[in-house]
Amino acid sequence: MKSLFLKFFPLVLIASLFLASCSPSLPAAPIVVLVPSTTPEPDAASIASQSDDVWDRIVANNKIVVGTSWHYPPFSTIDPNFQVVGFDIALIEEIGRRLQIPVEIQNYAFEGLPGALQINQIDLAVAAISVTPERASQMSFSPIYYVNETAILARNDALVTTITDFNQLAKFRVGVQRGTTYESMAQNLLVDTGLMNADKLFRYMQTDEAVRDLIENRIDVVIVGQATASYYGSRQDLRVAGKGFEQQNLAIAMRAETPRLKAEIDRVMDEMLIDGTILGFIQQYIQSDLTGILSTPLAPNPSISTPVSPVPTVDPPVCVDGMKFIADVTYGDNNMKNPPYVSPEEGFVKIWRVQNTGTCTWTPDYQFLYAYGNVTAAQMSGQPLNIPTNVAPGQTIALSVTLIAPKDPLTYQGFWQIENAEGQRFGQTIWVAVTTLADQDNPVATGQPSGNYCTVTVAAPKNSVKALSNFSTVWEVRNLSGYDWRTDSVDYQFISGTKMHKQAGYDLTQTIKDGESGQIIVEMVAPGEPGLYGSTWTIVSGSRTLCVLYVTITVTAK
């Protein structure tokens, strides 16, 4: 696109108007509409004259950090080899290739993507995001790369008739994914109008959860995009009971007021729309048979790529939540290359170190929860965890959950997210992965963490303890920090797990010199019920975490 002349170029708007093969009365092929545009081609000089801090950061780091949500097929999903694949993944990787800048794809809670853009934790958001007036008032968007239709997914054996009017859904139990335009449609058109009781609208963190409940007859229909409905319909005993209602224009989101970044993304996406690359992705990931394509032109498009109706300016939130993954403290898997082995039905404690990257302080009203996994058993008996203490913006904390490896021989990957006091999830989605397949290529998990500043062994208790009994937990800690841990500047404190302690924080009772070892002792009381319990503590100096300590206790009946 080096020409300086004004010319027309096609903006490919692909409408997913196809259904699963089980619905022969409805069209099986997508409609692709070529829309002429009168936008002048940007030349290299005009683009280079623009600048913004996000593009400058991308150039300085030689990396585009992309936030997406890994659980919305066919746009993104995890394959059997634990690699993220799909339409959106192929799209952003091709954009990076054409810009000659590496792309780093990170997994996020879908409803937390706008916040991650706002606090500059990611550069782009690519997650089948629909352009809406509200979103357009908060973010910038690329050219539209796919036009999705709203679809109604139902079981093949259900009594749900063909849905031709959205209001017909009022008599059914309806499932939607939280944070999506489909949730807004159901709320605004069905619940707020009084057509449907609020208790008949079921909101899920992941579309897969809604589909599972649909299959198990807990709900009657799921509202999703046409492409996703067709994906599930071709793999499950499901059908598309209706389509249309509202079009979803999908585009890449970026922070507002990023003219250079938007110009660069628009430039390469225009190329991909013209040369058929995006059409090829549609054929690969959404609809292999492209027969019956219509090329009827529409009226010329104005000079903006993604026109939407104006909306009043939305007052910004008082603060924005954010969370960044720092490190696996225990049971690291080398990015799924070597999930550690854990014996079937054996308990273990997974610990992550994360950072509050937002502008809100996390409080004990925030929760750390299981979100989804590669199989149902990937939850591994993990339970929600309240954030144990206030975590100010910029601070880090170790989050730990006590888990039990499933008995079936398999590799398990379970994903966890943080939720604020209002029930909104945000930040990176992090995972725990273990295998119960005995394999010499998989390292045996040792359990006890060792960080950059210490090594730790648990000296006591060595055996199980009886319910409600008093006991001492003793860690032998070697200081590898490069300086002495002094009693007037170093403390240790409880951060997560079961509250078995009598006191939540202690001053260091002895100076532990660099390279030497000392004991950390906490007096505890066993819970009243038999079971496996975990408790995590940290040695800190001001806001710096020096060492993470944890203990797993087996409690027996009195």
Side-chain angles (χ1 to χ4, degrees):
M1 302 220 336
K2 295 181 180 179
S3 170
L4 300 180
F5 294 101
L6 178 67
K7 68 178 184 179
F8 292 98
F9 65 86
L11 171 64
V12 181
L13 301 183
I14 303 96
S16 63
L17 302 181
F18 56 93
L19 294 180
S21 59
C22 57
S23 302
S25 61
L26 296 170
I31 297 177
V32 179
V33 184
L34 300 181
V35 184
S37 171
T38 56
T39 306
E41 282 192 359
D43 57 47
S46 65
I47 291 179
S49 66
Q50 304 178 68
S51 182
D52 62 71
D53 60 308
V54 177
W55 178 256
D56 292 344
R57 181 176 68 238
I58 289 171
V59 173
N61 296 337
N62 191 35
K63 177 175 65 176
I64 304 173
V65 180
V66 178
T68 187
S69 184
W70 290 2
H71 212 55
Y72 192 66
F75 296 95
S76 61
T77 189
I78 301 170
D79 70 12
N81 296 317
F82 301 99
Q83 300 300 305
V84 60
V85 296
F87 184 109
D88 283 344
I89 307 306
L91 174 70
I92 196 59
E93 288 179 342
E94 178 63 15
I95 288 173
R97 188 189 68 80
R98 296 190 184 213
L99 290 172
Q100 297 183 336
I101 302 176
V103 172
E104 180 181 310
I105 299 173
Q106 298 179 353
N107 192 13
Y108 277 77
F110 178 80
E111 55 192 326
L113 286 170
L117 286 170
Q118 186 175 342
I119 62 177
N120 292 314
Q121 190 169 336
I122 58 176
D123 304 318
L124 299 171
V126 187
I129 299 172
S130 302
V131 182
T132 66
E134 180 181 0
R135 289 171 178 170
S137 72
Q138 302 168 354
M139 300 176 283
S140 292
F141 285 95
S142 73
I144 297 165
Y145 64 83
Y146 189 76
V147 178
N148 211 5
E149 281 198 307
T150 302
I152 310 302
L153 194 61
R155 293 183 306 280
N156 276 325
D157 63 351
L159 297 179
V160 177
T161 58
T162 300
I163 304 297
T164 57
D165 186 329
F166 198 78
N167 291 345
Q168 290 177 254
L169 298 177
K171 61 183 178 181
F172 298 115
R173 298 168 297 172
V174 178
V176 292
Q177 182 179 350
R178 277 173 45 175
T180 63
T181 53
Y182 309 113
E183 179 189 25
S184 299
M185 288 176 63
Q187 180 67 40
N188 296 338
L189 301 178
L190 300 177
V191 177
D192 291 349
T193 58
L195 293 175
M196 185 173 79
N197 291 333
D199 61 2
K200 292 174 67 178
L201 179 59
F202 295 79
R203 307 167 199 262
Y204 296 86
M205 289 309 307
Q206 308 295 333
T207 298
D208 192 57
E209 296 173 333
V211 172
R212 183 176 63 244
D213 274 6
L214 175 63
I215 293 170
E216 296 177 0
N217 200 24
R218 297 191 184 99
I219 57 177
D220 302 311
V221 295
V222 177
I223 308 175
V224 289
Q226 176 74 37
T228 302
S230 296
Y231 175 91
Y232 284 112
S234 66
R235 290 161 173 80
Q236 304 287 347
D237 190 22
L238 303 172
R239 62 186 170 90
V240 177
K243 66 180 183 64
F245 314 116
E246 188 171 301
Q247 228 174 235
Q248 309 296 331
N249 297 329
L250 308 189
I252 297 173
M254 58 203 88
R255 205 194 70 198
E257 299 179 355
T258 52
R260 177 63 184 275
L261 174 62
K262 177 169 170 53
E264 295 286 354
I265 297 300
D266 287 2
R267 175 178 63 82
V268 296
M269 286 191 66
D270 286 342
E271 294 174 356
M272 294 164 66
L273 287 162
I274 291 170
D275 65 23
T277 299
I278 289 180
L279 191 62
F281 291 155
I282 294 168
Q283 191 169 16
Q284 179 180 355
Y285 294 101
I286 297 178
Q287 175 68 31
S288 59
D289 181 9
L290 293 178
T291 58
I293 292 175
L294 302 180
S295 57
T296 306
L298 300 180
N301 203 21
S303 60
I304 58 173
S305 300
T306 52
V308 291
S309 303
V311 295
T313 302
V314 178
D315 292 333
V318 175
C319 62
V320 179
D321 281 308
M323 185 273 274
K324 179 181 179 181
F325 167 77
I326 301 298
D328 290 304
V329 179
T330 62
Y331 297 89
D333 53 68
N334 190 22
N335 202 26
M336 293 305 296
K337 293 181 178 66
N338 299 105
Y341 174 78
V342 179
S343 298
E345 300 185 297
E346 178 182 324
F348 66 101
V349 177
K350 171 66 182 181
I351 305 176
W352 303 263
R353 184 177 291 115
V354 300
Q355 181 183 27
N356 180 351
T357 54
T359 58
C360 306
T361 295
W362 302 349
T363 71
D365 291 328
Y366 283 51
Q367 281 196 313
F368 184 52
L369 311 99
Y370 176 78
Y372 58 91
N374 64 320
V375 293
T376 303
Q379 184 168 352
M380 295 184 273
S381 301
Q383 298 302 310
L385 168 75
N386 284 88
I387 303 301
T389 185
N390 287 352
V391 183
Q395 288 187 333
T396 62
I397 187 173
L399 299 176
S400 69
V401 291
T402 301
L403 304 170
I404 300 175
K407 64 179 180 179
D408 292 334
L410 195 67
T411 296
Y412 299 88
Q413 185 181 30
F415 293 85
W416 291 68
Q417 296 172 336
I418 288 188
E419 183 177 277
N420 66 19
E422 287 71 43
Q424 299 296 310
R425 298 197 182 183
F426 63 90
Q428 283 186 262
T429 300
I430 57 181
W431 74 75
V432 52
V434 299
T435 184
T436 54
L437 291 163
D439 187 333
Q440 61 182 0
D441 293 331
N442 292 307
V444 176
T446 57
Q448 183 61 44
S450 58
N452 295 328
Y453 310 119
C454 67
T455 59
V456 184
T457 57
V458 178
K462 292 291 188 180
N463 302 310
S464 61
V465 297
K466 292 190 179 297
L468 300 177
S469 64
N470 294 292
F471 65 96
S472 298
T473 294
V474 182
W475 293 276
E476 292 281 352
V477 181
R478 187 181 181 192
N479 177 4
L480 301 177
S481 65
Y483 63 92
D484 296 347
W485 296 349
R486 306 184 64 86
T487 57
D488 59 354
S489 60
V490 176
D491 308 308
Y492 55 101
Q493 59 192 25
F494 171 78
I495 60 166
S496 64
T498 304
K499 296 180 179 180
M500 298 180 284
H501 48 273
K502 297 180 180 179
Q503 186 175 323
Y506 297 83
D507 295 327
L508 202 65
T509 57
Q510 59 183 4
T511 294
I512 303 178
K513 294 184 177 181
D514 181 44
E516 296 184 358
S517 299
Q519 286 191 338
I520 303 296
I521 302 174
V522 176
E523 299 300 327
M524 296 186 175
V525 178
E529 295 294 326
L532 184 71
Y533 298 90
S535 182
T536 305
W537 293 64
T538 54
I539 301 175
V540 297
S541 178
S543 61
R544 185 184 188 193
T545 299
L546 302 174
C547 198
V548 179
L549 318 169
Y550 81 84
V551 63
T552 302
I553 305 296
T554 300
V555 177
T556 60
K558 296 179 65 175

